Amino acid sequence: MSLETELIRQRLEKARQIEGLGFRPYGQRFDATHLIPDIVAAYSAKTAEELDTPRVQVKAAGRIMTMRRMGKAGFAHLQQNGSRLQIYVRKDSIDEAGWKLYELLDIGDIIGFEGYVFRTRAGELSIHVERIYFLSKILLPMPEKFHGLEDVETRYRQRYLDLTVSPQSRAAFITRAKVVSSFRRQLEERGFVEVETPMMQPLYGGAAARPFVTHHNTLDIDLFLRIAPELYLKRLVVGGLERVYEINRNFRNEGVSTRHNPEFTMLEFYQAYADYQVLMDFSCELLKQVAIDAIGTTIASYDGHQIDFGHIRRYTIREAVVEFWDGDGRPSMDNVADPEWLGRHSHKPTAGEQLLEIFERAAEAKLIQPTIIHQYPVETSPLSKNSLDDPAFVDRFEIYAAGMEIGNAYTELNDPQEQRRRFEMQLAMIEKGDDEAHQMDEDYVRALCYGLPPTGGEGIGIDRVAMILTGCTSIRDVILFPLLRPEGPIGIAEQLRAFDA
RNA sequence: GGGCCGGUAGCUCAGUGGUAGAGCAUCUGACUUUUAAUCAGAGGGUCGCGGGUUCGAGCCCCGCCCGGCUCACCA
């Protein structure tokens, strides 16, 4: 018999014995008077004398993380909501069934307890237990108490274990949740309405990416998982929802890396009567406050850098190429506006695509501190409004931090005739083999024909903001269940079946 | 998809061709303020999978699976 099977056998036997003592191995509702983190917060500063007069009674629950048995007494650390509290159980302080139950406990079991708060000889805040409740039996062994779970693959596949034993992992996901709620609260305060638009779309659009395809059986149609919600959100602005936002998943059928997961979370928001200049200022406020709400400061520690969201610098894309150029041949501002120079430094077909590629190569990785890059070429921005002073460019900006794009915003193109031309320009790119160029979306053009007010729109990559604020250099560390290949047979059902009387 | 690295007990890891190991965890015993508790003993392994070389393979060679990093693509 393998060790794992033997452990399951032992623990099922213990569960049977626990039942024999009058407890349920998978218990019932438990009405606690306290949460462990609240006990720790309330009494950590109290002296032993203060805790004795008068004694404080508590009833709480948690998972057993460590146990030290010493014959007729013992200690254990219980964990709840990421916080640990020691309990002290002695034979002459609880009834006989309770003591026998204590003797049957395993690390990982979930129990409830009642008792009084005290401080041990060594000074640790603890609970002197007077009654134990049994709430849930662990059958498989917990990871090692000291090193925890080091294997990244197991951490991703069995996130429940990672969350149980890795405080830093738990903290990252709590911080991520604060990021989301901060964005949501700030938008709500400014009158934005949260909406949900289709994730299964007959036509995909709003970004340049390859989609996932799925099929609806009874309608017998192929559908695409959305690569962006953009075109639906702007339809809503046409409909008079002047400030809308959506925080939800996008799906892009492309490479997986430390910065890319096939499904990722995007915030998109649209504000009627605004433009990209308004959004630049708004973005700075939003990100600054998100940092404060999530980590209590505007400065995030990331991969050896101190990234400060308190100030976001701004460059045009041409300025950025000049500013961040490394090594010989640094161009002048005239060079980066010169089609001949651009053509010599990139093999993309148009001057605009060349400029963007040169920017990505020369500058993107160097944009560690939060930076707004604005004035994008029209060819690479099929949904953005032309700049008044140069129709080859659009009123668009992207936000970079930690060398990654974290946001993208523009004044929305609201002229249906121009939008039609842009779609046709994209179709021509598809003809030339660009499989990420935009499709024609006639219903969207029709919506514009009813009048989209001048509007500013923006998308912010939630996962990437979460990465920076949590200091995680892999996107998988801020996604609870990142996409992995299936792991193959697990075999737990068969093991359990063997013990099912 | 390319390159590099990894997969040995439930967990964390040693093991450079000659009898598969340690710590934690588990089991038995001792121990009524311990805290990586301590002490004594015990059990636990298709060494990711499949081939090959060899008298002999965890170790060398080939293929495959899974993962990490990185490049490409992308947000």
Side-chain angles (χ1 to χ4, degrees), chain A residues 95-270:
Chain A
D95 64 20
E96 194 181 335
W99 179 254
K100 283 184 175 161
L101 172 63
Y102 170 76
E103 290 188 307
L104 288 168
L105 293 178
D106 284 306
I107 290 172
D109 283 345
I110 296 170
I111 63 168
F113 58 89
E114 265 182 272
Y116 59 87
V117 184
F118 78 112
R119 204 169 275 287
T120 63
R121 198 172 289 160
E124 179 165 348
L125 185 75
S126 305
I127 305 300
H128 192 117
V129 171
E130 296 165 318
R131 185 165 179 191
I132 303 181
Y133 301 82
F134 197 78
L135 301 177
S136 193
K137 187 83 199 89
I138 190 170
L139 295 181
L140 291 168
M142 291 279 282
E144 200 220 5
K145 63 184 170 190
F146 195 61
H147 299 91
L149 201 52
E150 297 284 333
D151 184 75
V152 252
E153 184 175 350
T154 309
R155 289 182 41 221
Y156 297 153
R157 292 197 193 278
Q158 296 180 258
R159 187 66 88 179
Y160 40 89
L161 275 184
D162 182 41
L163 288 170
T164 304
V165 302
S166 313
Q168 68 284 4
S169 179
R170 180 192 168 88
F173 290 105
I174 299 292
T175 298
R176 181 190 167 116
K178 289 179 180 170
V179 167
V180 172
S181 71
S182 175
F183 276 121
R184 192 169 264 136
R185 180 184 56 74
Q186 293 189 70
L187 289 160
E188 296 283 336
E189 280 172 357
R190 291 168 171 84
F192 284 82
V193 175
E194 182 168 13
V195 296
E196 291 164 277
T197 62
M199 296 216 187
M200 296 194 296
Q201 306 178 345
L203 283 176
Y204 62 93
R210 298 208 305 273
F212 288 92
V213 188
T214 187
H215 186 80
H216 188 278
N217 286 343
T218 57
L219 294 182
D220 192 25
I221 49 170
D222 283 341
L223 292 164
F224 302 100
L225 300 191
R226 75 176 184 198
I227 57 172
E230 169 156 355
L231 299 182
Y232 284 96
L233 291 172
K234 281 188 279 191
R235 285 172 170 95
L236 298 178
V237 181
V238 170
L241 296 178
E242 293 188 350
R243 293 186 178 199
V244 289
Y245 75 100
E246 179 164 7
I247 300 177
N248 223 318
R249 233 66 64 76
N250 289 345
F251 307 87
R252 298 189 185 175
N253 203 342
E254 290 169 349
V256 178
S257 78
T258 47
R259 295 169 185 188
H260 303 84
N261 195 60
E263 55 177 312
F264 64 101
T265 301
M266 182 89 114
L267 159 67
E268 283 202 14
F269 58 91
Y270 291 82

Side-chain angles (χ1 to χ4, degrees), chain A residues 339-358:
Chain A
E340 198 269 329
W341 185 91
L342 293 171
R344 272 192 286 128
H345 289 83
S346 165
H347 292 101
K348 292 281 184 179
T350 67
E353 291 169 277
Q354 290 160 5
L355 175 62
L356 186 63
E357 191 195 44
I358 292 164

Side-chain angles (χ1 to χ4, degrees), chain A residues 394-405:
Chain A
V394 293
D395 286 341
R396 171 181 177 190
F397 68 90
E398 292 194 345
I399 309 168
Y400 289 85
M404 297 185 288
E405 183 188 339

Side-chain angles (χ1 to χ4, degrees), chain A residues 442-460:
Chain A
E442 281 211 76
D443 177 68
Y444 177 67
V445 175
R446 177 169 63 183
L448 293 186
C449 287
Y450 285 98
L452 172 68
T455 297
E458 177 160 343
I460 293 180

